C-alpha cells in the first residue's frame, strides 16, 4: 500500500509468524516488528485524515522520525532557523518529504511565509522546473496537501523533534562513515558542532 508520504508499506509476517511491516522508499528499506494489526497500520499511512501514529513507541520506523521532524517544523516554522542550519535535506527518504523540507527551507531563507499553500506551490514549482514529464509522474505518486494536513495534526514536541533529527543525522553519518573507503578523497560529511559530542 502506498502511503501519502510516498513510501510503500507491505504488511506481512517474519519467519516465526510474527507480524512485521516492511517500508520501501527511494532512499531506504526497513522491516520492523508490529505491535498492532499490520494491515490497519499500512492503511493508516495511506489515510488522508488525522494525525500519524507510530507503529510502536519502542521501535519507531525511520518514517516516524521523519514525520516528527516535519510535523514540528510545519507547526512551528520559526524553528527552521535552528534545525534547518544542520539537518540536511537528504535525510528525508521520499520525494514528498524531501520536497516539503526543501520548500520550507527555501521559503524561510527568502523570509517568506511558510504556509501550507506556499509549501505546496514551491514543491510544484521545483518538480516542474526539473521536467514537466517528471512532474506528472511524481505528482501522481505523492499527495503533498494531504500529507501536510496530517503533519499539522501530528503531535511533536521540541524534544521529540530534536531527538528525531539527531537520530536521522547520526544514522546517516554513521552509515557514510562505515561505507567510506580508507584514504578516499571524495566528499565527506562533517557532523555539526551540536552533534559532535554525541559520537
Amino acid at each position: 500500500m502506498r502511503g501519502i508520504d510516498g513510501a510503500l508499506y507491505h504488511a506481512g509476517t517474519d519467519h516465526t509468524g510474527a507480524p512485521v511491516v516492511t517500508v520501501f522508499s527511494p532512499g531506504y528499506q526497513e522491516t520492523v516488528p508490529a505491535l498492532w494489526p499490520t494491515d490497519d497500520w499500512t492503511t493508516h499511512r495511506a489515510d488522508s485524515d488525522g494525525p500519524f501514529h507510530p507503529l510502536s513507541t519502542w521501535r519507531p520506523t525511520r518514517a516516524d522520525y521523519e514525520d516528527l521532524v516535519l510535523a514540528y517544523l510545519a507547526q512551528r516554522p520559526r524553528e527552521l532557523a535552528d534545525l534547518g542550519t544542520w539537518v540536511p535535506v537528504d535525510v528525508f527518504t521520499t520525494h514528498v518529504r524531501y520536497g516539503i523540507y526543501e520548500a520550507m527551507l527555501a521559503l524561510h531563507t527568502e523570509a517568506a511565509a511558510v504556509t501550507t499553500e506556499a509549501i505546496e506551490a514551491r514543491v510544484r514549482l521545483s518538480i516542474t522546473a526539473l521536467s514537466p514529464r517528471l512532474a506528472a509522474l511524481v505528482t501522481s505518486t505523492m499527495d503533498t496537501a494531504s500529507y501536510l494536513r496530517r503533519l499539522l495534526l501530528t503531535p511533536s514536541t521540541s524534544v521529540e523533534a530534536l531527538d528525531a533529527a539527531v537520530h536521522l543525522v547520526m544514522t546517516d553519518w554513521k552509515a557514510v562513515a562505515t561505507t567510506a573507503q580508507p584514504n578516499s578523497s571524495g566528499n565527506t560529511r562533517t557532523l555539526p558542532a551540536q552533534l559532535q559530542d554525541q559520537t
Side-chain angles (χ1 to χ4, degrees):
M1 183 171 293
R2 184 178 296 281
I4 61 171
D5 58 352
L8 294 173
Y9 296 90
H10 178 73
T13 57
D14 66 11
H15 65 284
T16 67
V20 295
V21 172
T22 301
V23 186
F24 300 92
S25 76
Y28 87 119
Q29 174 186 330
E30 179 179 19
T31 299
V32 290
L35 291 182
W36 47 298
T38 51
D39 288 336
D40 291 347
W41 194 79
T42 54
T43 301
H44 167 72
R45 299 299 300 186
D47 286 343
S48 57
D49 298 309
F52 286 110
H53 300 299
L55 181 62
S56 74
T57 54
W58 60 271
R59 178 62 171 87
T61 64
R62 183 165 181 129
D64 295 326
Y65 286 119
E66 293 180 23
D67 287 342
L68 285 172
V69 175
L70 290 177
Y72 184 73
L73 293 174
Q75 296 166 30
R76 301 167 190 84
R78 294 183 310 275
E79 300 300 326
L80 285 159
D82 181 22
L83 282 179
T85 61
W86 59 270
V87 177
V89 178
D90 61 6
V91 303
F92 297 98
T93 55
T94 67
H95 298 302
V96 68
R97 290 196 204 113
Y98 182 104
I100 286 173
Y101 184 65
E102 184 181 52
M104 287 195 291
L105 286 180
L107 290 165
H108 175 74
T109 300
E110 297 166 4
V114 185
T115 64
T116 302
E117 295 77 15
I119 294 169
E120 288 180 68
R122 181 57 67 105
V123 169
R124 280 194 304 272
L125 185 66
S126 296
I127 295 170
T128 305
L130 292 173
S131 156
R133 180 177 288 179
L134 178 63
L137 175 66
V138 172
T139 54
S140 69
T141 61
M142 58 192 275
D143 188 346
T144 305
S146 293
Y147 183 59
L148 273 169
R149 278 196 303 272
R150 293 192 70 184
L151 288 175
L152 291 171
L153 297 173
T154 300
S156 180
T157 66
S158 58
V159 172
E160 289 172 324
L162 182 59
D163 285 350
V166 168
H167 173 83
L168 293 170
V169 172
M170 293 288 289
T171 298
D172 290 355
W173 184 80
K174 287 176 181 175
V176 169
T178 301
T179 58
Q181 297 295 324
N183 303 321
S184 66
S185 58
N187 292 335
T188 58
R189 181 183 293 173
T190 303
L191 278 177
Q194 301 100 310
L195 305 183
Q196 289 182 5
D197 63 344
Q198 299 184 35
T199 57

